[in-house]
Amino acid sequence: MARLILVTGASGTLGRLLAGRLAARGYRLRLSDIIPFPDPLPQGAEFVQADLVDDAAVVNVVTDADAIVHLGGISVEKPFRPVIDANILGLTHLFEAARAEGQRIVFASSNHAIGFYQRGETLAAADPMRPDGYYGLSKAYGELLGRMMFDKHGLESVHMRIGSCLPKPTEARHLSTWLSHDDLERLVVAALKAKKTGHAIVWGVSANQRSWWKDDDAERIGYVPQDDAERFAPLPEEGDAITRRFQGGSFTAIDYTRATAEP
Ligand code: NAI
Ligand code: 15L
């Protein structure tokens, strides 16, 4: 019998994409989101509507799944209240429910956990996080929650620190941050298939010549990206001076009040 994968945030951009691709690979899918799934359900998939903030609903969707791809939650910078609800409270509900059943979680973290490093600086996954807002901070929390859950309970998780997952790069920043749709699929499948992952952090990025990111757990889980944004170069710089200065781009400029951007 094929493994049953729970995909949260299934009605969002990446969820819809992965639903089709994982189903085509023969996985059985339980798709879940707070809003209905907008497409016809892929072969072998079911949909369960659930709010991550509702702990009983989360236990219900997690029950009997073999592994979890967690995409659900706020996916852009917002005031702290909605971010805390979905991305901290909701995420904690998910990890606690998975702990009870022992399922591996493949978590969509984000480059916004390290967004305040300057562009051009090369980072290793183990470098200190520098979140660029409440959204990035919630992803940092997710990575640390995964760390604690493994150290304390042996619960495995793979944290995909995704750059910009788009059909193709459209601005200069994306030449460094782009994750192609095919590489996203490769990453998720590697994370699901790996025999053991422990607590893993993998840059969710293609094999971009201009990538700022190295030294992660990609090799350990068997993720080998194959695309490179360079074939789309050159692309225009976008945004104001703050946006152009930091790796997190436009998110860093939201509600930025420092007089100077010196380190
Ligand atoms: P999206 O915003 O299109 O999808 C997120 C989904 O989560 C939505 O369908 C939304 O209804 C659902 N959701 C929100 N609050 C919820 C709640 N309380 N309970 C249940 N479901 C809830 O985002 P997208 O682009 O598909 O991203 C998926 C994940 O990947 C997100 O966690 C995002 O932070 C992360 N990510 C995405 C990147 C990208 O380039 N698209 C880059 C870095 C990280
Ligand atoms: C993210 O974390 C967002 O979810 C996505 O919408 C993009 O803005 C991406 O980061 C990015 O930094 O390009």
Side-chain angles (χ1 to χ4, degrees):
M1 178 83 123
R3 294 169 77 203
L4 175 63
I5 310 297
L6 166 64
V7 180
T8 70
S11 306
T13 309
L14 302 189
R16 292 168 71 187
L17 177 88
L18 283 172
R21 289 182 178 226
L22 294 178
R25 283 176 175 267
Y27 288 105
R28 288 185 300 134
L29 298 178
R30 179 178 296 151
L31 306 174
S32 183
D33 204 291
I34 196 170
I35 59 169
F37 190 68
D39 307 323
L41 281 180
Q43 177 86 27
E46 60 176 339
F47 179 78
V48 184
Q49 200 156 342
D51 182 348
L52 291 160
V53 173
D54 176 347
D55 56 349
V58 173
V59 169
N60 179 49
V61 290
V62 162
T63 299
D64 295 334
D66 294 303
I68 300 170
V69 178
H70 182 53
L71 310 172
I74 302 296
S75 63
V76 291
E77 181 58 2
K78 291 249 173 159
F80 67 81
R81 188 59 213 239
V83 175
I84 285 173
D85 283 349
N87 293 16
I88 293 193
L89 188 59
L91 181 78
T92 310
H93 288 156
L94 187 93
F95 267 84
E96 279 296 342
R99 172 158 84 94
E101 302 232 337
Q103 300 118 328
R104 178 183 301 167
I105 298 173
V106 181
F107 171 56
S109 183
S110 169
N111 72 89
H112 295 288
I114 53 83
F116 267 132
Y117 281 95
Q118 307 228 10
R119 295 198 193 185
E121 278 187 82
T122 303
L123 297 188
D127 284 336
M129 289 187 267
R130 293 183 76 172
D132 59 27
Y134 282 107
Y135 166 67
L137 192 58
S138 74
K139 297 298 187 181
Y141 171 80
E143 293 191 16
L144 282 172
L145 179 62
R147 179 80 258 175
M148 183 277 278
M149 284 284 180
F150 183 66
D151 289 343
K152 199 160 193 174
H153 307 293
L155 185 77
E156 293 195 319
S157 52
V158 176
H159 300 259
M160 309 182 290
R161 232 183 241 172
I162 302 174
S164 308
C165 189
L166 299 164
K168 60 180 189 153
T170 59
E171 57 174 281
R173 172 175 172 268
H174 296 158
L175 295 172
S176 302
T177 61
W178 187 50
L179 174 66
S180 71
H181 285 176
D182 287 348
D183 281 338
L184 171 69
E185 179 183 350
R186 288 182 187 108
L187 173 49
V188 170
V189 169
L192 289 172
K193 279 191 168 167
K195 250 201 167 89
K196 280 188 181 171
T197 65
H199 173 264
I201 298 179
V202 180
W203 296 110
V205 70
S206 285
N208 303 327
Q209 281 174 45
R210 301 190 204 195
S211 176
W212 301 314
W213 306 324
K214 57 165 190 163
D215 293 347
D216 60 1
D217 295 311
E219 202 176 313
R220 190 157 69 74
I221 70 154
Y223 169 53
V224 184
Q226 290 178 23
D227 292 316
D228 181 350
E230 202 58 29
R231 71 191 160 95
F232 298 96
L235 289 170
E237 281 289 356
E238 286 190 2
D240 61 12
I242 302 301
T243 297
R244 290 174 187 214
R245 182 162 195 156
F246 295 112
Q247 297 193 2
S250 61
F251 286 33
T252 64
I254 297 170
D255 198 25
Y256 188 92
T257 64
R258 271 182 75 164
T260 72
E262 295 313 315

